[in-house]
Amino acid sequence: MDFTTKKIRNVAIAGHGQTGKTSLFEQLLFVGGAITKPESVASGKTVSDYTPEEIENKISIYSSLAHVIWKDININFWDTPGSSDFIGEVISAFRSSEMALVLVDGRAGAQIETIKLWRDLDRRSKPRMVFINRCDDERTDVAAVTKDIHDKFNVQTCPLTIPMKNASGFSGVIDVLKGKAYLCSSDGTVEKQIEIPAEFKDAYEDARGVLAGAAAEGDDDLLIKFIDEGELTAEEITNGLKVAFENNRIVPIFCGVVLQNSGLISVLDFIAEIAPSPFERLETAKDADDADITVKISEDSPLAALVVKTSSDQFSGRLSYIKIITGTLSADSEVFNLSEGRKEKIGKLFRCVGKKLEETKAFVAGDIGIATKLGFTKTSDTLAASADTLSFVRLRHPEPVYSMAVSAKDKKDEDKMNELLVRYAEEDRTLSYKYNSETKQNVISGMGDLHISILLKKVQNQAKISIQTDVPRIAYRETIQRKAQAEYTHKKQSGGHGQYGRVVLAVESLPRGEYFKFTNAVFGGAISKSYIPGVEKGVREAMENGVLAGYPVVDVAVTVLDGKEHPVDSSEMAFKIAARNAFKDAMRNAGSILLEPIMNITVLVESKYLGDIMSDMSVKRGRILGQTPIGGGIEEIRAQVPQAELLKYAIDLRALTSGTGSFETSFDHYDPISGKIADEVINAAKEFITIKQSDD
Ligand SMILES: Nc1nc2c(ncn2[C@@H]2O[C@H](COP(=O)(O)OP(=O)(O)O)[C@@H](O)[C@H]2O)c(=O)[nH]1
Ligand SMILES: [Mg+2]
């Protein structure tokens, strides 16, 4: 079945872990008729959580896409993981959806991951609705959670459904827009529509008034009429809600019980009848001067599409999830990959319900399709009808915050391990896999220890290999503290041609970050000009391994002061060797010290953990730069901390904040270390750094 842009809706289901997102996704597919039997998360048979690692961990790790057709509208739903370790998957879903359905546990209110996701949705200006789950639990208070959302996010909420709850418990919801009630059934069937019971009439009238007030936000004329007459017609409310929701002025609140299918029809109705289609929504592209411009989603122009996610499936191979922005993407066609600057062949196209693929001939603007087995196209690439189209802004992924050094237990498995890790780092843009030539380690980095440990387990199972992990080594540096001089004469007489070169040089500190400066101040030809490059080479070679622990030397100015040469035995090589040794001696005379990398860190935590975070920062030799409340009871702490203290921060922060904190880091500068800390680094370095011996 084909859908025009106006008949498409894209919705990302998001929120804190364990709020019921995967269950909601499953039940929505069931109520919408896309599946005949919903499964529980515990059974490991849900549409969304079907990979071995999701079944084993009983959490969502990857985003899943599925569609339902509701009232002639094709709704694409994304289920996303709640843990910030898998934020990359959420980014794919947010980028390709025009709105989000934020799930909140009725017993807990808006929890920290929800607050962080909300901030992200704010940055993207995406409308969002909220579903308050677990209304059958006696601890759930829909009014209190609604107030919590209003207070934490400073938004105008409006009730689309309200719970029917009395002394004998929860029986269903009232759809405030439709003026009907839905009874939930205990046997797992779809909820049944009834007239609003008399005992809930007052609650309904109150909610209807609030809803009309919110709808009036959509339009000045409506607002005037609402103020004058105190009410609006059903049609006016519908039209007002459309505008107010689309422009992010109201947050519709739904409630229910996911596992009893309660409250879901109202959600589907709202999405199909009120929420915006992709038509005329905007996507950001780059113009010829690299400036951001917006593009309207519409069928009219030639094809332009953005790859929002890549995954691999053991049966279908590589799957590329593509959001069509303009035009139509057709099966068996040729498109231009603007990011790579070459043509890509599109073979078969699919729509999906989790892992079940339905072959589809074409996708129009606004829809999200899946192409299998593309040759080279990656996430964030733009595909278009021709080369002279604009390319879309790449998906913005945060920098990895947690790293592990990895090696195959059995040397012969190293290639297999590398191949898989390289591939997964290409699919998941929040992963990075690199060889660090300084520390001589392969390092895998990601969004947290869970992210990395699940990945490594997957690779080990898939390749049937065993992987060893280590804390990554730090890339220390060496430098000098004061001015010094040294001289060295390289002299060898071993029959035939001899070797002779004498170099006198001075070293001096440079400001941090200036790395190296070389000056020839030899007066009167003590060393011929032709030998000076040999001297510089010798110095540069010596700088590769400092005299303390073999780390690279930085921020040193070297001046060649004097020297001596021999008419027959001197050579560039002889001067290189002399310079290398003179430099090492000068380093020793100049008081060598170690430098360690200092990172900028930004931590987000609930304010009750502030004290614990601060004292932990001081234990970690950190320097606090600032602290700001950012709303929702969340504090942002900015600090500078040595990288060596942050290697396990993902784990430490989880322990300190019961898993609710999060952080970002980036390199800032190098600072000197001394005493016990430096001694430990020097001793540890002896194990793996082989300081190059002079080859004289
Ligand atoms: N009692 C009850 N349990 C629920 C409901 N919705 C979800 N759950 C359970 O809550 C747990 C987490 O649900 P899941 O859908 O995996 O949450 P997610 O992490 O947000 O995807 C599972 O054990 C679900 O069975 C509900 O409406 N009522
Ligand atoms: Mg889930």
Side-chain angles (χ1 to χ4, degrees):
M1 202 165 160
D2 284 340
F3 300 94
T4 58
T5 305
K6 284 183 180 165
K7 298 217 164 213
I8 295 166
R9 304 286 183 276
N10 299 305
V11 183
I13 301 176
H16 199 85
Q18 300 294 305
T19 47
K21 296 178 295 297
T22 299
S23 309
L24 174 63
F25 181 79
E26 185 84 4
Q27 302 299 133
L28 284 169
L29 297 184
F30 169 66
V31 173
I35 56 174
T36 50
K37 183 172 175 277
E39 300 285 355
S40 71
V41 172
S43 74
K45 289 194 264 181
T46 59
V47 172
S48 176
D49 290 359
Y50 58 82
T51 64
E53 49 278 21
E54 290 177 310
I55 293 168
E56 187 188 332
N57 292 284
K58 294 206 168 33
I59 56 162
S60 307
I61 294 169
Y62 310 104
S63 55
S64 304
L65 182 66
H67 76 120
V68 293
I69 298 162
W70 187 256
K71 301 200 166 162
D72 215 19
I73 299 288
N74 182 47
I75 310 176
N76 292 313
F77 281 111
W78 284 103
D79 177 32
T80 64
S83 159
S84 55
D85 278 48
F86 311 110
I87 186 69
E89 297 285 322
V90 184
I91 290 169
S92 298
F94 280 2
R95 181 66 182 265
S96 54
S97 301
E98 280 70 50
M99 68 198 105
L101 172 53
V102 177
L103 206 52
V104 173
D105 187 323
R107 301 165 301 181
Q111 293 157 284
I112 187 143
E113 293 306 331
T114 302
I115 294 168
K116 285 188 271 171
L117 294 167
W118 199 278
R119 269 161 57 92
D120 193 338
L121 288 163
D122 275 342
R123 280 194 285 270
R124 296 169 191 271
S125 306
K126 302 257 164 145
R128 66 220 78 158
M129 45 212 151
V130 169
F131 187 94
I132 302 172
N133 191 18
R134 296 199 183 232
C135 285
D136 57 339
D137 194 290
E138 60 191 20
R139 286 162 289 182
T140 292
D141 178 346
V142 171
V145 175
T146 304
K147 185 174 179 318
D148 182 51
I149 289 160
H150 170 273
D151 294 350
K152 278 190 177 137
F153 305 127
N154 194 20
V155 289
Q156 178 170 359
T157 59
C158 63
L160 263 293
T161 50
I162 55 171
M164 293 192 286
K165 208 170 187 175
N166 58 21
S168 49
F170 172 86
S171 53
V173 301
I174 293 168
D175 186 318
V176 182
L177 188 61
K178 299 262 152 87
K180 297 280 178 200
Y182 289 99
L183 270 189
C184 58
S185 57
S186 48
D187 59 1
T189 51
V190 175
E191 54 196 329
K192 285 175 195 53
Q193 190 182 311
I194 55 165
E195 292 306 317
I196 299 172
E199 62 172 313
F200 297 113
K201 275 268 191 301
D202 286 351
Y204 162 69
E205 292 299 341
D206 289 349
R208 180 88 179 174
V210 178
L211 186 66
E217 290 289 319
D219 179 353
D220 286 347
D221 291 344
L222 279 185
L223 195 58
I224 291 164
K225 184 177 177 216
F226 182 67
I227 292 167
D228 287 350
E229 299 174 20
E231 58 184 344
L232 298 175
T233 65
E235 197 189 338
E236 284 167 339
I237 293 181
T238 302
N239 290 336
L241 282 179
K242 271 186 192 171
V243 181
F245 179 65
E246 189 171 331
N247 293 303
N248 228 340
R249 274 183 242 148
I250 53 161
V251 174
I253 308 280
F254 295 86
C255 65
V257 183
V258 164
L259 287 191
Q260 292 175 20
N261 289 325
S262 173
L264 305 198
I265 289 179
S266 305
V267 170
L268 288 166
D269 278 351
F270 181 87
I271 294 170
E273 293 166 358
I274 310 259
S277 80
F279 184 68
E280 293 204 318
R281 304 297 295 174
L282 305 173
E283 178 58 57
T284 318
K286 290 280 182 198
D287 71 6
D289 301 322
D290 211 31
D292 286 0
I293 53 163
T294 49
V295 176
K296 281 188 179 167
I297 302 181
S298 85
E299 290 144 322
D300 296 341
S301 326
L303 169 75
L306 176 70
V307 180
V308 293
K309 171 182 158 98
T310 310
S311 70
S312 46
D313 179 281
Q314 70 188 106
F315 306 108
S316 326
R318 211 142 68 100
L319 304 178
S320 305
Y321 294 68
I322 305 170
K323 170 80 182 262
I324 324 304
I325 313 297
T326 57
T328 302
L329 177 69
S330 305
D332 302 315
S333 62
E334 203 169 60
V335 297
F336 201 81
N337 180 323
L338 292 176
S339 318
E340 293 285 329
R342 51 193 170 120
K343 283 182 178 161
E344 175 72 279
K345 253 200 95 38
I346 303 285
K348 288 184 173 169
L349 291 175
F350 300 89
R351 216 177 261 299
C352 70
V353 174
K355 65 178 164 184
K356 205 180 95 222
L357 300 177
E358 308 162 356
E359 198 171 339
T360 306
K361 283 280 152 240
F363 286 92
V364 298
D367 217 337
I368 306 166
I370 294 176
T372 52
K373 304 190 175 99
L374 293 188
F376 57 87
T377 296
K378 297 186 297 294
T379 301
S380 275
D381 287 358
T382 296
L383 302 175
S386 63
D388 57 1
T389 318
L390 298 167
S391 61
F392 298 111
V393 171
R394 303 182 66 75
L395 277 70
R396 265 186 295 269
H397 292 107
E399 289 295 313
V401 296
Y402 182 82
S403 297
M404 271 288 164
V406 290
S407 54
K409 247 191 200 123
D410 193 334
K411 261 266 165 284
K412 72 174 179 6
D413 295 334
E414 202 88 358
D415 286 349
K416 258 197 228 163
M417 177 189 82
N418 286 332
E419 189 195 317
L420 281 173
L421 287 177
V422 166
R423 197 174 90 202
Y424 286 127
E426 241 175 53
E427 281 176 13
D428 177 350
R429 312 302 285 182
T430 57
L431 280 175
S432 115
Y433 184 55
K434 285 190 188 126
Y435 178 70
N436 185 329
S437 58
E438 251 174 58
T439 61
K440 302 184 175 57
Q441 287 180 316
N442 283 308
V443 179
I444 182 84
S445 309
M447 299 314 298
D449 55 321
L450 190 63
H451 191 200
I452 298 300
S453 67
I454 285 174
L455 170 78
L456 293 180
K457 208 160 175 191
K458 177 163 88 171
V459 170
Q460 296 189 97
N461 289 341
Q462 207 171 334
K464 305 204 166 43
I465 59 173
S466 196
I467 296 178
Q468 230 163 258
T469 58
D470 275 302
V471 176
R473 294 180 190 123
I474 304 279
Y476 292 100
R477 297 278 183 273
E478 298 186 23
T479 194
I480 53 170
Q481 287 173 290
R482 52 179 181 267
K483 264 186 180 173
Q485 281 192 20
E487 51 184 76
Y488 191 91
T489 306
H490 174 63
K491 192 167 162 188
K492 223 171 194 178
Q493 208 62 59
S494 49
H497 227 347
Q499 295 178 29
Y500 186 87
R502 172 178 162 77
V503 172
V504 182
L505 51 76
V507 292
E508 197 175 340
S509 293
L510 281 178
R512 204 61 74 233
E514 285 195 10
Y515 182 54
F516 178 55
K517 193 172 134 203
F518 182 82
T519 313
N520 176 21
V522 174
F523 203 66
I527 306 175
S528 307
K529 276 228 159 46
S530 60
Y531 294 137
I532 295 297
V535 174
E536 182 167 352
K537 267 188 216 154
V539 170
R540 284 185 183 271
E541 265 184 36
M543 284 179 69
E544 286 170 18
N545 300 102
V547 294
L548 282 178
Y551 288 103
V553 177
V554 295
D555 305 340
V556 180
V558 176
T559 310
V560 190
L561 300 173
D562 200 2
K564 200 174 167 194
E565 61 184 59
H566 183 275
V568 182
D569 290 345
S570 279
S571 64
E572 186 174 310
M573 175 58 86
F575 273 101
K576 196 171 93 174
I577 294 167
R580 192 162 64 207
N581 288 300
F583 180 79
K584 293 206 172 221
D585 287 346
M587 284 275 304
R588 288 188 192 97
N589 297 341
S592 275
I593 46 160
L594 281 172
L595 296 174
E596 68 173 346
I598 306 293
M599 308 295 282
N600 282 317
I601 179 168
T602 306
V603 189
L604 295 186
V605 288
E606 289 172 272
S607 39
K608 64 180 169 190
Y609 297 119
L610 201 55
D612 295 343
I613 298 297
M614 294 294 197
S615 47
D616 180 59
M617 285 280 178
S618 96
V619 173
K620 291 185 156 56
R621 302 186 282 134
R623 195 163 66 87
I624 305 288
L625 301 179
Q627 168 211 329
T628 352
I630 56 160
I634 307 291
E635 294 282 337
E636 180 184 273
I637 302 145
R638 280 166 297 111
Q640 289 192 334
V641 184
Q643 190 183 28
E645 304 286 345
L646 290 179
L647 295 174
K648 297 212 172 243
Y649 198 62
I651 295 166
D652 296 347
L653 185 65
R654 192 172 54 222
L656 284 169
T657 62
S658 309
T660 61
S662 71
F663 72 105
E664 285 169 10
T665 63
S666 60
F667 170 76
D668 193 75
H669 66 278
Y670 273 94
D671 263 356
I673 45 172
S674 56
K676 201 166 142 267
I677 296 167
D679 291 345
E680 276 171 18
V681 173
I682 292 167
N683 287 331
K686 285 185 186 137
E687 288 172 24
F688 77 100
I689 288 196
T690 38
I691 297 176
K692 269 189 220 150
Q693 296 303 312
S694 306
D695 50 354
D696 53 347

